Structure formats: C-alpha cells, structure tokens
C-alpha cells in the first residue's frame, strides 16, 4: 500500500498537477521563466552584436552565414517564448516590469564580455533596478486567476473594458493623425503609439498563453472562438508595434528609445492588467504603493543605464563634406566608399545608434 502511494506521488502527471495547481508555485514559476527569458534576450542581442563586429573587422562572409549569429537568433526566440509562457503563470502587471532584467543583464554582459567601460551611472542604475525588481516581486498581486475562454469572453464584453478600448482607439487615431498627416516626428508621439498597441498585445498574449496553459492542464480551450480572436489580435498588434518601434529606432537614438519604450510599455501593460484582468482587485494600499515605488526605481535604473551610452553618429553617414578631402574646396558632399560597414541588424542599431530617414510607409 505504501509502495503504491509512493509510486503515485512521483508519476509525471501527479508532479505536473502539483506544479500547475499550486498558486505560489505557479507564481514563482512565472517569475523565473520571465527572468530567464529576459536574460536570454540580452545574451542574444550581445551575441549578434559581437558577430557583426567580428564580421566587420575580418571583412569575411555575411553575418547570416555565421553559426554564432544563428545561435543568437535561436536564443532570442527561446527568450521571447519564455516571456510568452510567463504570462500564463503570473499577472501581466508583474511580468511586464521584469523587462528591466534584460537591460540590466545586457549592461553586465557588455562590460564583462565586450569590454565596454563601466560607469558610475551603470552601477547606480543597476542597483536601483535590482531593488525595484525585488519590490515588484514582493508587492505585486499574488492572486493567480485561471484564464479560460469563459473568463476572457466575460471581460472582453464588460463595460469597463469597452470604455477603455474605445478611449485607446480614439487616442491612437489622434496620435496617428498627428504623426502621419501633420508630420509631427516627436519621440513621445511615436512611443505612445507603441505603448497603446502594447497594452492590447499584453491583454491578448496573456489570454492566449493562459488558455494554452489551461489546455495543458487538461481543460481544452482551443475549441472556443475567443481563443482565435485573441490570437489574431495578438499577431496584428505585435506586428504594428514592431513597425512603429523600428521607425522610432530610425529617427531617434537608442539611448532615448530604450528607456522611454520601457517606461511606456510597462505602464500600459500594468494599466491593461488592472482594467482587463482586475489584477489589483482587493490589493492592500501598502502593496500598491510599494509596487508603484518599485516601478519608479526600475524606471530610474533603466534611464541611468541607458543614458549617455557611447554613440557613433554623424550629421549624415551616407555622405562626407568635400572640404574634408585634401585639395577640395567645394561645399557639396560625396558618397564614401562602399566598403564602409553599415549597422544592419537590430542589435547594431541598438549599439551604434545610427539615425536615418524616417520610414512612414
């Protein structure tokens, strides 16, 4: 009899049920998966950056022929998959702020492996980010609500969400009018467009991830239409979010885009979690205050790490003034040799900070 009980306790199904049905274990699992995912993303970006630098120095084959570059791409995919899965285990208002782990890890990797100079602001920013992350994990909502098709459908047609989404749509249309028609190329306008899309992305990602998690537990959710509605919303909002973020990277320095995007994305994700999933319901005032304080510390830490990073920037990198060439006095500009190595990948853009013409298409 004892042997039978002992055998049942160690079966894979029993172990999976114990992990997925214990609220505290599920909460911690979401945090760990999110942190690991963000670390993998930062490792991936630095691997890709190293590959581009090495290829530029050697002048050898294109970067996409390098096995190391492809390893970075794979790590990026695994990290993003980890972030996606984390939304199925922990509140969205906690997972989104943990993105500061990626910025912190990237700074550490750059100093240790890429031999970049460590600054006092890096140390202070990293300390604040760590303290802020601790406060977020400690005081964030610990209530794990089951995300199934019925719950998502109920919240989807609730009046407070309808008011929220209509307000977002109107604000998005206004910002899009200012950006596209009035040609107002302000970084706040562009990053607000990204943040509004990000709030929809967070809602849909958590819905899809949560319903997949429930399906793994044994409660099939993939037969409900709301799953596919949320899946389409997730793909569409992610696509347009990346589009506007890339345009911001072309028009502004990464030292501006990265911290502003983190602050706006995190704020929009928290608001989305509060409105759609009611994550702050019944949360004590002390928890709310300390959670907000943790967010502010993380915001400040990211700003300190990203500010005044080394830049490689010229007025126009595609042409050089004639007067800089010995024996030339003409005021026009000429195009440099084609052998100049451009910043081609996303990792290069983040590290080189090369501005270019805006992409309005």
């Amino acid at each position: 009899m004892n042997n039978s009980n002992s055998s049942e306790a160690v079966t894979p199904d029993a172990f999976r049920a114990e992990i997925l049905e214990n609220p505290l274990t599920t909460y911690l699992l979401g945090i760990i998966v999110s942190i690991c995912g963000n670390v993998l993303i930062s490792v991936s970006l630095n691997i890709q950056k190293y590959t581009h630098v090495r290829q530029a120095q050697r002048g050898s084959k294109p970067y996409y022929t390098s096995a190391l570059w492809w390893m970075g791409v794979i790590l990026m995919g695994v990290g993003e998959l980890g972030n996606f899965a984390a939304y199925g285990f922990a509140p969205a208002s906690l997972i989104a702020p943990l993105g500061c782990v990626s910025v912190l890890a990237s700074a550490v990797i750059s100093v240790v492996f890429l031999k970049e100079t460590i600054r006092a602001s890096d140390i202070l920013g990293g300390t604040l980010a760590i303290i802020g992350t601790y406060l977020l994990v400690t005081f964030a909502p610990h209530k794990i609500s089951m995300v199934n098709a019925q719950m998502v459908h109920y919240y989807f047609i609730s009046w407070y969400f309808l008011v929220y989404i209509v307000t977002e749509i109107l604000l998005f249309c206004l910002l899009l009018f200012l950006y596209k028609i009035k040609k107002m190329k302000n970084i706040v306008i562009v990053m607000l467009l990204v943040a509004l899309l990000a709030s929809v992305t967070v809602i849909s990602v958590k819905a899809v991830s949560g319903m997949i998690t429930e399906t793994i537990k044994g409660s099939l959710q993939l037969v409900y239409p709301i799953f596919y509605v949320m899946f389409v919303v997730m793909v569409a909002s992610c696509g347009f979010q990346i589009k506007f973020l890339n345009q911001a990277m072309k028009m502004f320095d990464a030292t501006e885009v990265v911290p502003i995007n983190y602050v706006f994305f995190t704020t929009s994700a928290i608001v989305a979690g509060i409105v759609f999933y009611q994550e702050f319901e019944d949360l004590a005032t002390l928890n709310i205050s300390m959670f907000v304080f943790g967010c502010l510390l993380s915001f400040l830490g990211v700003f300190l790490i990203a500010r005044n990073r080394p830049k490689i920037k010229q007025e126009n990198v595609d042409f050089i003034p004639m007067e800089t060439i010995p024996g030339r006095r003409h005021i026009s500009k000429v195009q440099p040799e084609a052998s100049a190595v451009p910043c081609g990948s996303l990792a290069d853009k983040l590290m080189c900070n090369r501005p270019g013409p805006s992409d309005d298409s």
Side-chain angles (χ1 to χ4, degrees):
M1 184 72 174
N2 291 336
N3 292 337
S4 175
N5 291 338
S6 179
S7 174
E8 291 178 5
V10 295
T11 58
D13 290 341
F15 179 76
R16 183 184 65 180
E18 181 180 356
I19 291 294
L20 295 178
E21 293 176 7
N22 187 322
L24 180 59
T25 305
T26 304
Y27 179 82
L28 293 176
L29 181 61
I31 294 173
I32 293 172
V33 169
S34 177
I35 291 176
C36 291
N38 283 303
V39 170
L40 284 178
I41 290 172
S42 63
V43 170
S44 165
L45 287 175
N46 280 277
I47 286 177
Q48 292 179 64
K49 175 190 174 183
Y50 171 76
T51 304
H52 284 282
V53 170
R54 188 182 65 176
Q55 297 293 94
Q57 291 173 345
R58 295 180 179 179
S60 54
K61 298 178 181 179
Y63 63 88
Y64 50 80
T65 62
S66 170
L68 188 62
W69 184 82
W70 281 107
M71 185 178 73
V73 172
I74 293 172
L75 287 177
M76 172 73 78
V78 174
E80 293 292 358
L81 185 62
N83 271 336
F84 173 80
Y87 280 100
F89 298 112
S93 55
L94 171 62
I95 298 302
L98 289 178
C100 69
V101 173
S102 179
V103 179
L104 179 60
S106 184
V108 173
I109 293 170
S110 297
V111 170
V112 175
F113 294 101
L114 299 180
K115 307 304 179 183
E116 293 188 2
T117 304
I118 188 170
R119 306 165 304 163
S121 60
D122 294 330
I123 298 175
L124 178 59
T127 303
L128 293 177
I130 292 173
I131 296 174
T133 302
Y134 172 77
L135 293 177
L136 288 171
V137 172
T138 304
F139 294 99
H142 288 196
K143 182 179 67 174
I144 307 298
S145 58
M146 178 179 60
V147 179
N148 55 30
Q150 291 84 356
M151 188 207 76
V152 173
H153 184 267
Y154 173 77
Y155 286 151
F156 193 78
I157 61 174
S158 61
W159 68 266
Y160 41 84
F161 174 69
L162 293 177
V163 171
Y164 172 76
I165 198 65
V166 169
T167 304
E168 275 212 343
I169 291 173
L170 293 176
L171 183 56
F172 184 85
C173 291
L174 175 61
L175 292 171
L176 196 61
F177 172 78
L178 295 175
Y179 177 62
K180 291 286 189 181
I181 307 301
K182 295 297 184 180
K183 305 296 181 181
M184 296 178 61
K185 308 301 183 182
N186 186 284
I187 189 171
V188 173
I189 292 177
V190 183
M191 301 316 297
L192 279 176
L193 287 169
V194 175
L196 292 175
L197 289 167
S199 67
V200 178
T201 302
V202 168
I203 290 173
S204 56
V205 164
K206 183 168 178 62
V208 172
S209 180
M211 284 187 275
I212 291 177
T213 302
E214 289 300 312
T215 300
I216 294 174
K217 288 181 181 180
S219 176
L220 185 62
Q221 303 292 309
L222 307 186
V223 297
Y224 296 97
I226 191 66
F227 173 82
Y228 300 96
V229 171
M230 284 298 188
F231 183 82
V232 171
V233 170
M234 178 184 71
V235 173
S237 60
C238 278
F240 284 106
Q241 185 181 339
I242 293 172
K243 171 185 170 67
F244 285 112
L245 188 57
N246 283 334
Q247 292 180 12
M249 290 298 299
K250 288 183 179 182
M251 292 187 291
F252 309 101
D253 291 329
T255 52
E256 298 174 289
V257 174
V258 171
I260 293 177
N261 179 59
Y262 172 69
V263 172
F264 282 12
F265 170 81
T266 301
T267 303
S268 66
I270 293 172
V271 173
I274 293 173
V275 173
F276 192 87
Y277 293 103
Q278 304 292 297
E279 291 179 347
F280 277 26
E281 188 178 15
D282 300 326
L283 195 65
T285 304
L286 175 62
N287 287 59
I288 295 175
S289 301
M290 295 305 294
F291 178 85
V292 172
F293 183 59
C295 285
L296 294 177
L297 287 181
S298 298
F299 293 165
L300 181 57
V302 170
F303 267 103
L304 289 174
I305 293 173
R307 69 186 277 272
N308 296 331
R309 301 302 299 183
K311 301 178 182 180
I312 302 176
K313 185 171 75 170
Q314 298 176 359
E315 181 182 352
N316 190 329
V317 296
D318 295 325
F319 295 91
I320 57 176
M322 290 283 284
E323 60 267 20
T324 62
I325 304 176
R328 299 282 185 173
R329 296 183 179 275
H330 199 275
I331 61 172
S332 62
K333 299 178 180 181
V334 295
Q335 194 168 7
E337 294 295 330
S339 60
V341 180
C343 301
S345 71
L346 174 59
D348 287 328
K349 290 175 183 176
L350 286 173
M351 310 312 292
C352 294
N353 304 311
R354 187 187 72 168
S358 60
D359 182 8
D360 295 332
S361 59

